Amino acid sequence: MTSRAGIDRFSSFVMELHERSLTHHPVALFQWSLEELALAVDADCSWGGWADLHRGEVDLCASLSYNLPDDFDAFWSEIKHEDLLARDVMDTGNCAARYDRYGSRHTAGMVALSDRYHIDKLAVVVADRPGNPISLFMSPYRSGRAADEVDAGEIIFLRVALDHVRYLVERGVNGASGGANLLVNAQGRAGTTTGDFAAHVGIGRCASPQPLSL
């Protein structure tokens, strides 16, 4: 763990995460984590949630964001089949991938996403739980052509931090029960940060290979 995200920052994050898990709703805990981890790696904004990456295409089950416009989810859904980050994770089995708007590998959808939201250095880190088709992910984004890419040390920092986040969020959702659970609102709709979702969240199950749709 080097550069921006060092061991001291990691230790303080984990300690506060565990303290907050005793009093915070799982959605609020994950929202706080997205913001804190983005700050820890000097990201301008971040996106995270639960996705099914195990059937050859990405299906978004639920998401939260930090410092992104409300229409981000909807626009991403339009270009998800061109998402190189998701494709790289699915094709390689790696827990992380990166994209540079000014690099050599592009799709029209990635260029459109980058230009629309002024995010030039993108990454994704996945906390995968064996046996569960639903993965927790976080994507830190940096703005500006001269911005540094999220480096290997920061990827490790986020990967290990997300293991703690996943465990504590799932513990808050599941209690003592097992299963692959998702956070949904009172209407059974998988949650985003828009509206009053956090105040009316409930518990739902993603019971088959089919995730809840947004």
Side-chain angles (χ1 to χ4, degrees), residues 22-205:
L22 301 176
T23 57
H24 279 50
H25 190 283
V27 172
L29 186 66
F30 188 42
Q31 180 68 61
W32 175 83
S33 299
L34 277 180
E35 297 176 14
E36 287 298 307
L37 292 176
L39 293 173
V41 297
D42 284 357
D44 296 295
C45 48
S46 62
W47 187 49
W50 293 262
D52 185 345
L53 302 171
H54 292 81
R55 294 185 296 128
E57 62 180 34
V58 57
D59 283 316
L60 183 65
C61 299
S63 68
L64 297 166
S65 65
Y66 162 64
N67 205 27
L68 284 168
D70 290 342
D71 67 348
F72 185 86
D73 276 16
F75 188 81
W76 175 86
S77 294
E78 295 178 7
I79 64 95
K80 70 175 186 176
H81 298 296
E82 300 178 70
D83 186 335
L84 290 175
L85 296 175
R87 175 52 54 193
D88 285 350
V89 169
M90 290 186 290
D91 287 350
T92 66
N94 291 334
C95 66
R98 290 176 286 202
Y99 171 74
D100 184 349
R101 171 64 180 84
Y102 299 99
S104 59
R105 182 167 171 254
H106 304 285
T107 62
M110 289 298 286
V111 169
L113 185 77
S114 177
D115 290 352
R116 181 184 181 94
Y117 299 104
H118 308 290
I119 48 179
D120 302 295
K121 304 297 170 67
L122 295 74
V124 66
V125 179
V126 176
D128 202 5
R129 188 177 72 179
N132 187 352
I134 308 302
S135 300
L136 179 70
F137 74 92
M138 176 189 171
S139 288
Y141 304 135
R142 291 177 179 158
S143 300
R145 183 168 189 159
D148 294 331
E149 70 174 5
V150 179
D151 66 31
E154 292 161 342
I155 292 290
I156 294 172
F157 176 96
L158 293 174
R159 179 67 179 85
V160 179
L162 278 182
D163 280 340
H164 288 266
V165 174
R166 178 187 56 76
Y167 170 73
L168 292 171
V169 168
E170 288 183 358
R171 186 180 71 175
V173 173
N174 295 335
S177 68
N181 290 345
L182 288 176
L183 302 170
V184 300
N185 64 13
Q187 289 72 44
R189 182 181 177 85
T192 68
T193 54
T194 59
D196 57 355
F197 167 74
H200 297 91
V201 71
I203 299 175
R205 287 186 180 273

